Amino acid sequence: MKKILYIILSIISINLSFAQKSIKGKIYDANTKEPIVGATVKAENTSVGAITDISGAFELKANATKLVITNIGYEAKTVDVVSGSSLSISLETASEDLQTIVVTGNREASLRTETPIAISKITPKMIDEAKVSSIYEVINKTPGVLMVNLNNEQHSMSIRQPMTTNAYYLYMEDGVPIRPMGVFNHNSLLEMNQFTVSSVEVVKGPVSSIYGPEAVGGAINFISQRPTAVPTARIGVQADQWGFRRVQYGAGATIGKFGIYLGGLVAEQKDAWMTSSDYTKNAQYARLEYQLTPSSRLIYTLSYAKYNSQTSGSVDSVAFYNRQYVSTTDFTYRKAYSLRTRLTFEKDWANGSQSFVTVFARDNKHGQNPSYGIRWTSGAATARGEINSNDFKSLGVIAQHSQRFKFLNSKATIGTTVDFSPNDYWSYQIDLAAQLRADKKSVEKYTITKERPDIQIANYNADIRNAAAYIQYDFEPIKNLRVSAGLRYDNMSFDFVNNLDIDKTTGLGIGGSKTYTKTTPKIGVTYDLGKGKGIYANYSKGFAPSGLTAIFRKRPTPAANGDLFYYNLIPATFNNAEIGGWASLLKNKIYVDATYYQMTGTNELLNIRQPDNSTDYQAAGKTLHKGLEYGITYKPSKEVFFRFGGAYSIHRFVEFTLSQRASDALKDVNGKDMPSAPRWIWNSEISYYPKWAKNFRTSIEWQHVSKWYQNQINTVEYKGYELLNFRASYQWKGIELFTNVMNLTDALYATNASRGNAVTDRTTFTPAAPRTFVLGLQYSFTGKK
C-alpha cells in the first residue's frame, strides 16, 4: 500500500513540475510608453508564443525562464521570467530599420515595404532626441523634404514642389485633415502641439486616391500620443538666449479598459534677435480610449491651441548683410485660435479585417495684419497693407472598412468622407507711410497712417461642402509581388456671397455656387526580392482646386474680360510616376532607399509678383517636377548611428505666359526654373551613444540647401546655405539635461530670398537666427504597472 501511495504521489509531483505556467505582461515603446500592438512573445528556444493585443498585453502558457520579444521596427529583446509577477517590458525603436509599420498609406497599419509609395516615418526616438523648439526641426530629417523656417513656427514647404505656401500639401492629425479643402492651410501647423506628437509620417507625391485634393506635393500625418501602457508623467522646460521660453508636460495611464493621456505646452518669446518678433502659444491635448470588447474600442481626442505673434517679415539687403535684424514694421501680427475634436469607433474582425468611423469637428479663427501684405513701389513715400480675418467651423465624418480575402492574399478597402465647413473671410486696406533709406531704393520703416475699412480687398461668406468616396484593392498575383490599385471620386462645392461684387439692382453682394469634381486613380506594385531588398513603382494623379481666398480676392488690375475677381481659376491637375527600391546590407547595418519621380502639372496655381509687391494669380500653363530622393542609414555598432537623406530636384516651367502686353520684352518663361527651387537639399546626422558614459548622447546635424533663382525670369540667384546643429543630453534617474546649439557656426543665411521680375525690384530676405543655445531640463516618471 505504501508503495502504491508513493507511486501516485510521484506521478502527481512530476505532472505538477511539468504543468505550464501562465506568464502575463505588457509590451510598450521605450520612448512614448505607448502599448505595442502585434509584438511577438516567445519562450526562448521554442515555438510557443503569443501576440500582444491593442493594449500591449499578452498571456503565454509555457514553462520558460526567458522570453524573446520581437516586433517590426523595434530591436529584439530577451528578458528573464520572474515567477509570480506580471512583466512590464519596453522595446527600443530600431531607427535604422526600414521594415516599419505605417498607417498613412491607406489609413490603417501596414508594412512600409508593402506600400508602393514614397513614405518616411519619423520615429518617437528621433522626436524625443531632437527636443525641438519648432516642428520643422524634425520634419527636415525626412529625405526629400524641406520645411522652411519663417520664424515663430511659421513656415513654407518643399516636397516635390519649390518652396511655397501654396495649398499643395495636406496636413493631418491622426489621419484627419487639420483644415478643410478650400481654406488656406499652410498656416495650420501653427496649431500643432509638438510635445504630444508621437510620430510623423510623410508621404511624398500625390496620394489623392485616398486622401483627396491638396495631397499633391505630399501629405504629413502627425500621429498623436496614445494612453500609455504603464503610468507615466513628464514635465520639462527649455529656453534660449534670445528670449524663448517653454514649459511642457505630459501624463498618461491605462486602468483596466480605460486609457488617458494629457499633454500640453505654454511658450513665449520676447525681445528676440529679430525686433518685433514676440510671440506666445498655448497648446493642450487630451486623448481618451475605452476598450469596449477585445476587438472594439472608442477613441476621443481634443486639441486646443491659441497663438499670438508679431510677424517681423523680411529685411532688405542692407539690413541682411550687415546683420541688422530690425523689422521694417512693429504693427504686423498673426493670431490663431483652434479647437479640434474627434470620436472614433474601431472594430477588428476575426480574419484581420478592420472598420472605423470617425466623427470630427473644428472651430478655427485666424486674423492677421501680415507683413507679406505690404505693397510698396520703389521710391514711394507711401505704401499699403491689409488686415484680414479667416474663420471657419466644421463637422465631418470619415468611414472606412477593409476586408481581407484568402484569394490572392488580397484586401479590399472602401471609404467615404463628408465635411461641411461654413467659412467667413474679410480683408481691408491700411495706409502706410514709408521711411526711405538714403538711397531711396528701400524702406527702413513703415508706420500706419490710417486704417481703411472702407477700402475692402475681399469679403465673402461661403458654405463649403466636401464629399468623397474611394476604393482600393491590394492583391498578390504571384509570390512576393503585391499590386495596389485605387480610385477616388471627389465633389467640392460651395455656396457663396461675394460682398464686394455688388448687384446694382439690390445693392447686395452677388451670390452663387461653384462645384469641382474629379476622379483620381492610382496603381502601384511592390516586389520583395528577399533578404531585405525590394523595389516598387506607382502611377497616380492628383488635383487641387484653388483656395477661396484666391478666388474672391480683387485682382490688382482687371482681367482682359473685365473680371475683377478670379472666378475662372480652374483646379490644377498632376500626373505622377515613380520607381524606387530599398536594400539592407552588411547584415542589416546599412539600409538604403531611393525613389526617382516625374510629375507634370497643368493649370498649376502660380503667382506673378507685381512691382508694388502685390500678387496676380494665374492657373494656366504646364510645369515639370522631377527628381531623385534618397536615404541611407548606417549603424556599425550600438554606439554610433549615421543617417543621410536628401533629394536632387528640377522644378521647371514648360509653358507659362508671363505677360500678354506687347510692351513687355519677356512674354513667357518656358524652359526656365521655377523660383525658390533649389536643385539639391540634404540633411545628415551622426549620433554617438558612448559606452563609457551611459545615458549620454550627442549628435551633429548638417543641413544643405543649394542655390535657387529668386524670380521667374531667372536673372538673380541666392547662394543657398549650409547649417550645422549640435545636440547633447544626459539622463540620471529620470532627470534629463539637454542642450541644442542651432546654427553652430553662426552662419549668415536666409531661409527665403525672393524678388519680382522688374528691373527695379529688390530682393527681400527672411533672415535665419544667429547661433542659438537652447538649454532644457525634463523629469520623467514611469510606473511599473
Side-chain angles (χ1 to χ4, degrees):
M1 183 69 183
K2 289 183 178 180
K3 288 183 178 181
I4 295 173
L5 183 60
Y6 175 77
I7 292 171
I8 292 172
L9 291 174
S10 297
I11 292 172
I12 293 172
S13 176
I14 292 170
N15 285 338
L16 287 174
S17 67
F18 282 95
Q20 290 185 331
K21 297 182 292 184
S22 179
I23 305 170
K24 297 180 180 181
K26 284 185 176 182
I27 312 295
Y28 58 90
D29 185 286
N31 291 99
T32 66
K33 308 303 185 290
E34 294 174 325
I36 297 176
V37 183
T40 300
V41 183
K42 286 187 176 182
E44 189 177 43
N45 299 322
T46 74
S47 59
V48 179
I51 303 296
T52 57
D53 62 18
I54 190 68
S55 62
F58 70 90
E59 182 175 1
L60 179 65
K61 294 187 180 298
N63 290 315
T65 58
K66 290 182 181 292
L67 298 181
V68 178
I69 301 96
T70 58
N71 193 59
I72 293 171
Y74 290 88
E75 296 178 357
K77 190 171 187 177
T78 301
V79 299
D80 294 324
V81 175
V82 180
S83 179
S85 64
S86 180
L87 299 176
S88 182
I89 304 165
S90 64
L91 297 186
E92 293 283 351
T93 304
S95 300
E96 74 283 5
D97 192 354
L98 292 180
Q99 293 282 340
T100 302
I101 293 177
V102 294
V103 298
T104 308
N106 53 17
R107 293 191 191 268
E108 67 178 40
S110 58
L111 284 176
R112 177 234 185 271
T113 51
E114 292 182 357
T115 307
I117 54 178
I119 186 168
S120 299
K121 183 170 184 175
I122 302 171
T123 65
K125 183 177 181 179
M126 294 172 69
I127 294 173
D128 179 58
E129 292 186 353
K131 295 291 190 293
V132 303
S133 298
S134 186
I135 200 70
Y136 79 90
E137 296 171 36
V138 291
I139 297 297
N140 286 344
K141 297 178 186 292
T142 307
V145 175
L146 180 62
M147 183 175 174
V148 182
N149 175 27
L150 300 180
N151 301 320
N152 292 15
E153 301 190 38
Q154 300 167 107
H155 76 282
S156 62
M157 188 68 73
S158 175
I159 310 175
R160 298 193 180 180
Q161 286 277 324
M163 298 180 290
T164 181
T165 57
N166 284 347
Y168 289 152
Y169 309 107
L170 181 63
Y171 303 118
M172 298 178 289
E173 185 177 48
D174 296 322
V176 179
I178 296 175
R179 292 191 182 172
M181 179 171 59
V183 176
F184 194 52
N185 76 349
H186 102 275
N187 296 318
S188 59
L189 297 191
L190 295 174
E191 303 158 13
M192 289 303 304
N193 184 341
Q194 53 262 51
F195 197 65
T196 56
V197 173
S198 173
S199 60
V200 183
E201 294 178 2
V202 182
V203 179
K204 289 159 279 188
V207 283
S208 295
S209 61
I210 290 291
Y211 290 102
E214 295 183 337
V216 172
I220 300 181
N221 189 14
F222 295 90
I223 299 170
S224 59
Q225 171 80 45
R226 287 189 60 198
T228 52
V230 292
T232 62
R234 56 178 179 156
I235 185 169
V237 295
Q238 60 190 77
D240 66 29
Q241 82 272 33
W242 304 120
F244 172 79
R245 298 179 294 274
R246 191 171 80 195
V247 178
Q248 52 216 8
Y249 75 95
T254 299
I255 304 171
K257 296 182 178 183
F258 179 74
I260 183 171
Y261 190 86
L262 303 173
L265 61 87
V266 178
E268 178 187 53
Q269 178 174 281
K270 195 169 184 179
D271 300 327
W273 58 274
M274 182 77 175
T275 64
S276 303
S277 61
D278 295 355
Y279 89 98
T280 61
K281 180 176 179 177
N282 184 339
Q284 305 298 323
Y285 164 83
R287 178 166 176 149
L288 308 176
E289 293 188 8
Y290 184 73
Q291 195 79 19
L292 297 170
T293 69
S295 61
S296 63
R297 67 208 66 91
L298 284 174
I299 301 168
Y300 175 77
T301 64
L302 179 71
S303 296
Y304 162 86
K306 190 173 184 180
Y307 173 92
N308 187 352
S309 175
Q310 293 180 297
T311 50
S312 52
S314 55
V315 299
D316 62 18
S317 59
V318 175
F320 176 71
Y321 287 110
N322 286 285
R323 292 185 181 247
Q324 296 173 350
Y325 302 123
V326 179
S327 174
T328 57
T329 68
D330 59 6
F331 54 83
T332 51
Y333 65 85
R334 173 173 282 129
K335 298 179 181 180
Y337 160 86
S338 70
L339 185 68
R340 297 187 301 276
T341 184
R342 72 175 175 101
L343 179 64
T344 299
F345 171 75
E346 294 181 345
K347 171 67 177 176
D348 303 324
W349 303 96
N351 63 348
S353 301
Q354 294 178 310
S355 303
F356 75 82
V357 178
T358 294
V359 181
F360 62 88
R362 314 182 189 97
D363 184 11
N364 191 287
K365 297 177 176 62
H366 194 97
Q368 59 179 337
N369 182 335
S371 56
Y372 66 77
I374 294 176
R375 314 298 187 222
W376 174 74
T377 303
S378 181
T382 60
R384 310 187 316 275
E386 69 173 273
I387 294 175
N388 62 51
S389 173
N390 193 0
D391 302 342
F392 68 87
K393 293 184 178 181
S394 302
L395 285 174
V397 177
I398 303 173
Q400 178 176 296
H401 175 72
S402 64
Q403 183 69 42
R404 293 187 176 273
F405 303 96
K406 292 182 179 179
F407 174 71
L408 298 180
N409 189 24
S410 60
K411 180 179 72 172
T413 302
I414 186 169
T416 185
T417 68
V418 178
D419 185 329
F420 174 65
S421 299
N423 178 211
D424 299 319
Y425 182 94
W426 55 257
S427 174
Y428 64 80
Q429 180 177 306
I430 56 175
D431 292 341
L432 306 175
Q435 180 182 333
L436 304 181
R437 296 189 186 275
D439 61 3
K440 306 295 183 182
K441 295 180 180 179
S442 57
V443 176
E444 186 171 355
K445 188 76 173 179
Y446 292 105
T447 55
I448 297 177
T449 58
K450 188 177 182 180
E451 290 193 17
R452 300 297 303 272
D454 55 311
I455 303 178
Q456 298 187 68
I457 300 168
N459 188 331
Y460 64 85
N461 313 104
D463 289 338
I464 306 171
R465 298 176 181 85
N466 293 309
Y470 58 90
I471 186 169
Q472 181 170 300
Y473 186 62
D474 302 308
F475 62 99
E476 195 172 315
I478 60 174
K479 186 179 180 181
N480 298 332
L481 177 68
R482 193 151 189 88
V483 179
S484 177
L487 193 69
R488 174 173 171 132
Y489 172 78
D490 274 279
N491 182 299
M492 173 194 174
S493 63
F494 55 91
D495 300 326
F496 68 88
V497 175
N498 184 352
N499 297 304
L500 299 189
D501 195 0
I502 303 299
D503 187 306
K504 294 180 180 179
T505 302
T506 64
L508 301 175
I510 293 177
S513 62
K514 289 184 74 71
T515 299
Y516 303 106
T517 61
K518 192 71 174 179
T519 301
T520 49
K522 77 146 192 181
I523 186 166
V525 297
T526 59
Y527 188 74
D528 186 355
L529 298 171
K531 297 182 178 179
K533 300 175 180 64
I535 56 175
Y536 85 92
N538 81 47
Y539 172 79
S540 59
K541 286 191 172 185
F543 88 107
S546 301
L548 269 63
T549 51
I551 294 172
F552 294 112
R553 198 172 182 86
K554 274 188 176 180
R555 293 175 177 267
T557 56
N561 62 1
D563 282 351
L564 298 176
F565 303 93
Y566 296 93
Y567 288 143
N568 295 319
L569 287 178
I570 56 179
T573 57
F574 297 85
N575 294 299
N576 178 81
E578 61 189 83
I579 185 169
W582 64 90
S584 61
L585 308 167
L586 298 181
K587 297 182 179 180
N588 296 337
K589 291 182 178 180
I590 296 178
Y591 284 83
V592 180
D593 67 310
T595 299
Y596 174 78
Y597 72 91
Q598 181 164 313
M599 181 169 66
T600 57
T602 303
N603 298 319
E604 188 169 343
L605 182 63
L606 304 169
N607 59 72
I608 301 176
R609 186 165 161 179
Q610 305 298 299
D612 66 351
N613 196 43
S614 62
T615 297
D616 185 20
Y617 295 104
Q618 290 190 31
K622 297 179 180 179
T623 57
L624 172 67
H625 310 271
K626 64 179 181 179
L628 177 67
E629 299 160 343
Y630 49 88
I632 180 171
T633 62
Y634 177 45
K635 191 174 184 179
S637 68
K638 289 185 177 294
E639 292 182 279
V640 177
F641 177 68
F642 170 79
R643 63 166 183 81
F644 182 84
Y648 174 79
S649 309
I650 295 174
H651 305 291
R652 181 171 291 163
F653 295 110
V654 177
E655 294 179 11
F656 181 59
T657 300
L658 193 63
S659 174
Q660 296 179 344
R661 293 177 296 193
S663 59
D664 288 344
L666 188 63
K667 294 182 175 58
D668 66 60
V669 288
N670 299 350
K672 294 186 179 296
D673 281 7
M674 300 177 73
S676 300
R679 290 288 178 92
W680 288 97
I681 62 169
W682 64 67
N683 185 286
S684 179
E685 187 172 25
I686 184 167
S687 301
Y688 180 48
Y689 310 85
K691 289 182 179 178
W692 53 266
K694 189 178 180 182
N695 297 326
F696 175 77
R697 64 166 175 84
T698 185
S699 69
I700 191 161
E701 178 185 38
W702 174 27
Q703 176 80 61
H704 168 81
V705 179
S706 70
K707 63 184 180 181
W708 67 81
Y709 286 111
Q710 298 180 28
N711 55 11
Q712 292 162 323
I713 60 177
N714 292 183
T715 56
V716 183
E717 290 181 331
Y718 179 67
K719 64 179 181 179
Y721 56 89
E722 311 288 343
L723 176 65
L724 291 178
N725 300 318
F726 171 81
R727 296 179 173 91
S729 166
Y730 179 71
Q731 294 185 42
W732 178 77
K733 293 186 178 181
I735 299 173
E736 182 178 11
L737 178 67
F738 62 89
T739 184
N740 294 344
V741 184
M742 313 302 288
N743 191 3
L744 181 64
T745 62
D746 199 25
L748 173 65
Y749 72 101
T751 56
N752 185 55
S754 63
R755 65 190 291 158
N757 297 321
V759 176
T760 56
D761 285 344
R762 295 290 182 268
T763 300
T764 57
F765 300 86
T766 302
R771 184 189 295 118
T772 301
F773 295 93
V774 180
L775 187 65
L777 183 68
Q778 182 167 295
Y779 174 72
S780 300
F781 165 80
T782 302
K784 295 186 180 297
K785 292 185 180 180

